[in-house]
């Protein structure tokens, strides 16, 4: 098993769900997450949606997105990050999982709203709007964690 650097495992999990688990020596979990990531990615047509979004073709990205499949992605993605980080020794605080959970919730919400919600008159679509929802998800999770930690 490799060294227990939680930040390294977290960053590899951001690159691709399952990589952090492989680095932690959790091969079954890593394989399961990698297979799930691939399945969801293909079924949701996510790589094509990412390409279209980077090219600024948001309407076509919306049309190409299979939202029924893509809604699984944020929870898998943020769980993989939390799991790799925790297995490597991070997340020792009792409520350290909350920023990951609330970010998954809000990114999923951003995805659901991404077909119609505009910010400052701009339709961000199924890639950029969910990414913008990462920030409030982290903030809400951190705040709720602090509140709960101070109460209990």
């Amino acid at each position: 098993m490799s060294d227990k650097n939680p930040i390294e495992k977290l960053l590899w999990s951001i690159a691709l769900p399952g990589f952090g688990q492989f680095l932690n020596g959790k091969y079954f979990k890593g394989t399961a997450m990698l297979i799930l990531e691939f399945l969801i990615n293909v079924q949701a047509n996510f790589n094509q949606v990412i390409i279209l979004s980077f090219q600024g073709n948001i309407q076509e990205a919306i049309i190409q997105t299979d939202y029924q499949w893509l809604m699984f992605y944020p929870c898998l993605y943020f769980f993989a990050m939390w799991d790799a980080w925790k297995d490597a020794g991070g997340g020792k605080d009792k409520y350290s999982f909350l920023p990951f959970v609330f970010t998954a919730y809000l990114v999923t919400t951003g995805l659901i709203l991404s077909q119609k919600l505009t910010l400052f008159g701009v339709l961000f679509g199924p890639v950029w709007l969910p990414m913008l929802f990462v920030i409030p998800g982290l903030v809400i999770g951190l705040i709720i964690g602090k509140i709960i930690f101070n109460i209990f």
Side-chain angles (χ1 to χ4, degrees), residues 123-135:
L123 181 65
F124 286 90
V127 171
W128 303 118
L129 187 66
M131 288 174 73
L132 290 174
F133 277 52
V134 167
I135 296 165

Side-chain angles (χ1 to χ4, degrees), residues 30-42:
T31 301
M33 288 185 190
L34 198 57
I35 289 169
L36 285 170
E37 194 284 336
F38 181 78
L39 175 67
I40 294 166
N41 186 306
V42 169

Side-chain angles (χ1 to χ4, degrees), residues 27-96:
Y27 302 112
F28 180 78
K29 272 199 291 189
T31 301
M33 288 185 190
L34 198 57
I35 289 169
L36 285 170
E37 194 284 336
F38 181 78
L39 175 67
I40 294 166
N41 186 306
V42 169
Q43 293 298 319
N45 200 28
F46 198 35
N47 284 347
Q48 182 63 31
V49 171
I50 292 169
I51 291 167
L52 290 165
S53 296
F54 268 82
Q55 293 172 343
N57 195 342
I58 301 303
Q59 285 297 339
E60 186 61 26
I62 289 169
I63 291 167
Q64 292 295 321
T65 303
D66 186 322
Y67 285 88
Q68 295 292 328
W69 275 99
L70 194 54
M71 285 178 55
F72 290 108
Y73 200 80
C75 289
L76 172 68
Y77 195 81
F78 286 98
F79 177 78
M81 289 189 300
W82 172 79
D83 181 70
W85 180 62
K86 186 166 175 49
D87 276 352
K92 302 228 185 267
D93 294 338
K94 191 173 182 180
Y95 301 105
S96 62

Side-chain angles (χ1 to χ4, degrees), residues 84-146:
W85 180 62
K86 186 166 175 49
D87 276 352
K92 302 228 185 267
D93 294 338
K94 191 173 182 180
Y95 301 105
S96 62
F97 62 92
L98 288 173
F100 295 92
V101 170
F102 278 92
T103 302
Y105 293 162
L106 265 76
V107 169
T108 302
T109 301
L111 177 63
I112 292 166
L113 299 173
S114 69
Q115 296 176 67
K116 300 209 184 270
L117 180 67
T118 61
L119 299 174
F120 309 108
V122 176
L123 181 65
F124 286 90
V127 171
W128 303 118
L129 187 66
M131 288 174 73
L132 290 174
F133 277 52
V134 167
I135 296 165
L138 285 171
V139 170
I140 291 168
L142 289 168
I143 290 169
I144 290 175
K146 286 220 180 269

